[in-house]
Amino acid sequence: MKQLPLMSLDLFGNMIRDSAANAILSSATQHESLTELNLGSNDLSTESGLAFARELGGLSHLRRLDLGTEGTAMFANRFNSAVGTAFGQALLTNTCLRELGLNGVGLGRTADKKDDTKSLAAAAISAMLQRNSTLQILKLSSNGLGTAGLVLIMAGIASNPSLTSLDLSNNDGGPEVGAVAGKSLSSNSCLQTLNLAGNQLGAAGVCAMASALVGNGALRSLDLACNDMLDRGCIALANALEANRCLQFCNCSGNNVSGFGGLAWADTLWCNSSLTELRLSENPLGNEVVVNLAAVLSQNQNLQSLDLSRCRLGDEGALAVIDALEKNSTLTRLRLCDNMISETGGTLLADMLESNGALHYLDIRSNQLAHSSVLRVQRECNRKRIAARTQEPRSLASQIGQLRQQEQKINECEFRIARTQAAKNEANRVLMQERDALQLAQFEFQSKMSQAQAELDQSLKDVEEAEKKLEEKNAEAAAFAQASKARAEELEATLAAQEAEKERVAQEIASLQAQLEAARERRAKRDVELEEELQQALAEQAAMEAEAREAQARLAGMEGARAAAGLHF
């Protein structure tokens, strides 16, 4: 499987069981070209269902996954509510899967019969529908979800922006489901196909839904078969479709609708321009309703398929249909089986089929007519279908081929997009790691910068203290120099005075010569002492200046280290 460019794998109904399913799952996670996988009706257990839900994140290339079953298939997969919960949680983050099929797998079944967790699966799916924006088709029929489960799921689709098809048929619902469905359809603008057949909605539930259909512009297909809507529900639905211009398919079969409800449909088809297929089978409508419907068919140019099987119509209704189809050129399928049409009516229907160019499918089996008439109708239908296929223009066949090639290219593009998305996710992961590393580096750098700033502030403080001491020493040296100068000036003044007195006391020089010599010796000695003090002060000044220069050098070194650290960052 790893070596094949496989895009779709369908193993429906092969009873492969858990071991083979797990092997396929393991291989599918590595087979990136696989976009569609169908393992329905293979006798899979809950463990396999949980495994697929867990690995859904690794199957980013998968677009369609079907694990459900069909009504007549054997070996249905045997899941329970835990599988539904797991899929709901997995699809909260999955942005690739477009279609999920879980029909008839028992999502409403609990692992423990005493455990009242029947709605857990529905709650998880509802929460997923409120957040998921990629899933388009969801199949959950025949799962025993009950009224509570269906209410949760229908409430979840109210704001869903992507789901286009939802199958919740045969899940043992009730009228409350119809009420919630009506509210959701009033706000949902995306859902196109809704199947709620076999859920006991009743007249009240259908009436609640009908009021929402008046303003709904998205729904194209609605299946409400076997819901016991009675005449009241049928009339409400038919009246709503008089204003609705979007619904194309409607199934009201098996709803105990009598003549009153049938006549409402006749009135609706006079003004409805969108409905192309209508099913009213298994309702006791009678000839009167069929006659009125036939009158509509003579004028309606939109309806293409009509099912009136088991509606208690006889030759009167059949003749009305024959007259209408002589003027109708759009109806292509008509089912009248299991009614009370006689041989005369059957013969006339066969004659009409041969002359009508549009009708190519007519079912009149199980009526009160000869088998030869049934065979005649079947042969004519087969002839018309074969003729339609053989007369298909070659250009149309060429266009079909081109469309298939385009579909293949689209699938390839989706595969490439999935791979690109995976690469993008990996790049985002690496980017997040690098961002975390960068934030850590920034934090470490800021810590180092804070420490360096503290050391720099301390050094500046030391330099300021050293400069203050140097200023004090300079002031002391200046004061000392000024004092020395004053002393020298005083001595010079004294000497000048003595020189002035020399002339006056010339006679006393001789006598005072000895004293003068002694004074001179004292002065010389004092000068030497003053010189020594001056030299000592100058030495102290030089030492302070050297100390200041050393502090400035250290400050310059720290500023250089700070600049280098900023450049490195």
Side-chain angles (χ1 to χ4, degrees):
M1 183 175 175
K2 295 180 181 180
Q3 299 176 355
L4 295 175
L6 191 64
M7 300 185 67
S8 177
L9 179 61
D10 189 346
L11 294 176
F12 181 88
N14 280 282
M15 203 170 64
I16 61 175
R17 296 199 168 124
D18 291 339
S19 58
N22 290 330
I24 292 173
L25 176 61
S26 177
S27 179
T29 56
Q30 303 173 9
H31 201 77
E32 296 183 354
S33 65
L34 187 66
T35 59
E36 297 183 1
L37 179 60
N38 187 349
L39 296 181
S41 295
N42 275 292
D43 198 27
L44 304 183
S45 68
T46 299
E47 287 72 15
S48 293
L50 292 173
F52 272 92
R54 284 193 303 267
E55 295 297 330
L56 204 57
L59 296 171
S60 59
H61 49 279
L62 199 62
R63 297 293 179 271
R64 178 179 179 272
L65 176 62
D66 197 338
L67 300 176
T69 187
E70 298 176 357
T72 59
M74 300 176 64
F75 313 114
N77 296 331
R78 298 166 285 107
F79 299 158
N80 57 30
S81 61
V83 176
T85 303
F87 270 103
Q89 294 172 350
L91 288 172
L92 287 172
T93 55
N94 183 284
T95 59
C96 299
L97 197 67
R98 301 292 187 271
E99 179 178 347
L100 177 62
L102 293 173
N103 288 342
V105 296
L107 297 184
R109 187 187 303 120
T110 57
D112 185 357
K113 293 183 179 180
K114 298 180 180 180
D115 190 9
D116 189 16
T117 58
K118 188 174 183 179
S119 298
L120 286 180
I125 294 172
S126 176
M128 175 272 295
L129 289 173
Q130 296 175 29
R131 294 176 55 183
N132 185 288
S133 60
T134 54
L135 192 66
Q136 298 175 356
I137 300 175
L138 181 59
K139 302 175 182 178
L140 298 174
S141 68
S142 304
N143 274 293
L145 296 175
T147 300
L150 293 184
V151 165
L152 288 170
I153 294 175
M154 289 307 304
I157 70 168
S159 58
N160 184 278
S162 63
L163 198 69
T164 59
S165 177
L166 177 61
D167 186 356
L168 294 176
S169 58
N170 302 313
N171 269 294
D172 304 324
E176 297 85 353
V177 179
V180 177
K183 294 180 181 178
S184 297
L185 290 175
S186 298
S187 58
N188 184 286
S189 60
C190 186
L191 192 67
Q192 299 179 11
T193 302
L194 177 61
N195 189 347
L196 290 175
N199 277 302
Q200 294 87 47
L201 300 183
V206 174
C207 287
M209 289 188 63
S211 60
L213 290 176
V214 174
N216 184 282
L219 201 65
R220 300 290 186 273
S221 175
L222 179 62
D223 193 337
L224 295 176
C226 303
N227 271 293
D228 200 25
M229 68 173 68
L230 306 177
D231 286 336
R232 184 162 69 94
C234 185
I235 292 172
L237 182 61
N239 291 339
L241 293 184
E242 289 183 7
N244 185 286
R245 292 295 180 268
C246 295
L247 198 70
Q248 299 173 357
F249 169 84
C250 185
N251 188 359
C252 293
S253 302
N255 276 291
N256 293 323
V257 177
S258 66
F260 295 104
L263 290 175
W265 275 110
D267 294 338
T268 297
L269 290 177
W270 279 110
C271 55
N272 183 283
S273 60
S274 63
L275 204 64
T276 59
E277 183 173 355
L278 177 62
R279 298 181 184 178
L280 297 174
S281 61
E282 300 182 45
N283 288 300
L285 301 179
N287 284 319
E288 181 182 0
V289 173
V290 177
V291 169
N292 282 272
L293 288 173
V296 177
L297 288 178
S298 64
Q299 302 295 327
N300 187 290
Q301 299 299 317
N302 299 296
L303 199 65
Q304 300 176 10
S305 178
L306 179 62
D307 190 352
L308 295 175
S309 303
R310 299 180 183 177
C311 287
R312 298 183 183 178
L313 68 94
D315 288 343
E316 181 183 356
L319 292 174
V321 170
I322 292 170
D323 292 338
L325 291 181
E326 290 180 354
K327 303 175 183 179
N328 184 285
S329 60
T330 56
L331 195 72
T332 59
R333 295 178 60 87
L334 178 61
R335 297 188 79 243
L336 300 175
C337 59
D338 291 308
N339 280 294
M340 298 177 289
I341 302 173
S342 69
E343 177 64 24
T344 302
T347 302
L348 293 174
L349 284 170
D351 294 339
M352 177 274 300
L353 182 62
E354 293 176 353
S355 61
N356 185 288
L359 194 67
H360 61 75
Y361 180 86
L362 177 62
D363 189 354
I364 57 172
R365 294 173 298 173
S366 301
N367 278 283
Q368 300 171 4
L369 44 83
H371 185 60
S372 58
S373 298
V374 176
L375 292 178
R376 178 185 172 190
V377 168
Q378 291 178 347
R379 284 195 299 268
E380 182 62 21
C381 289
N382 292 332
R383 185 192 67 78
K384 285 190 172 184
R385 285 194 292 269
I386 294 173
R389 286 196 296 267
T390 55
Q391 293 174 3
E392 183 182 59
R394 295 184 179 180
S395 59
L396 182 58
S398 176
Q399 291 177 7
I400 292 174
Q402 292 176 359
L403 290 174
R404 287 176 178 172
Q405 291 178 359
Q406 292 177 2
E407 182 183 9
Q408 180 70 19
K409 291 180 180 179
I410 290 172
N411 292 333
E412 293 176 357
C413 289
E414 288 182 348
F415 170 63
R416 291 173 184 170
I417 290 171
R419 292 181 60 182
T420 303
Q421 184 65 34
K424 182 180 178 181
N425 294 337
E426 179 65 20
N428 289 335
R429 186 184 65 80
V430 174
L431 180 61
M432 292 297 296
Q433 291 180 351
E434 292 180 353
R435 186 177 299 172
D436 293 341
L438 179 60
Q439 290 177 353
L440 181 60
Q442 288 178 342
F443 176 74
E444 293 178 352
F445 172 74
Q446 290 175 356
S447 299
K448 291 181 180 179
M449 286 294 296
S450 300
Q451 185 178 358
Q453 185 66 38
E455 294 179 356
L456 180 60
D457 292 342
Q458 184 62 35
S459 299
L460 291 174
K461 185 176 180 181
D462 294 341
V463 170
E464 289 176 356
E465 292 180 355
E467 288 178 348
K468 186 176 180 181
K469 289 181 180 180
L470 180 61
E471 289 176 356
E472 292 176 355
K473 291 294 183 181
N474 288 336
E476 291 178 0
F480 181 75
Q482 188 175 1
S484 299
K485 183 178 180 181
R487 180 61 179 166
E489 290 176 352
E490 183 182 354
L491 290 176
E492 289 178 356
T494 303
L495 182 59
Q498 289 178 356
E499 287 291 336
E501 289 180 358
K502 183 178 179 182
E503 294 179 358
R504 188 176 60 81
V505 291
Q507 294 85 8
E508 297 177 0
I509 292 175
S511 61
L512 297 175
Q513 188 68 38
Q515 297 178 2
L516 182 57
E517 290 294 331
R520 287 177 178 173
E521 290 179 359
R522 288 195 300 274
R523 188 181 69 179
K525 184 176 180 181
R526 182 60 179 165
D527 288 342
V528 171
E529 291 175 355
L530 290 174
E531 185 67 26
E532 290 178 355
E533 289 178 1
L534 181 60
Q535 292 296 330
Q536 184 177 0
L538 292 174
E540 291 178 356
Q541 181 179 355
M544 290 181 182
E545 291 177 352
E547 205 171 306
R549 285 192 298 273
E550 182 179 356
Q552 291 177 351
R554 282 190 297 169
L555 177 60
M558 291 180 181
E559 291 179 349
R562 181 179 181 182
L567 182 58
H568 175 68
F569 174 75

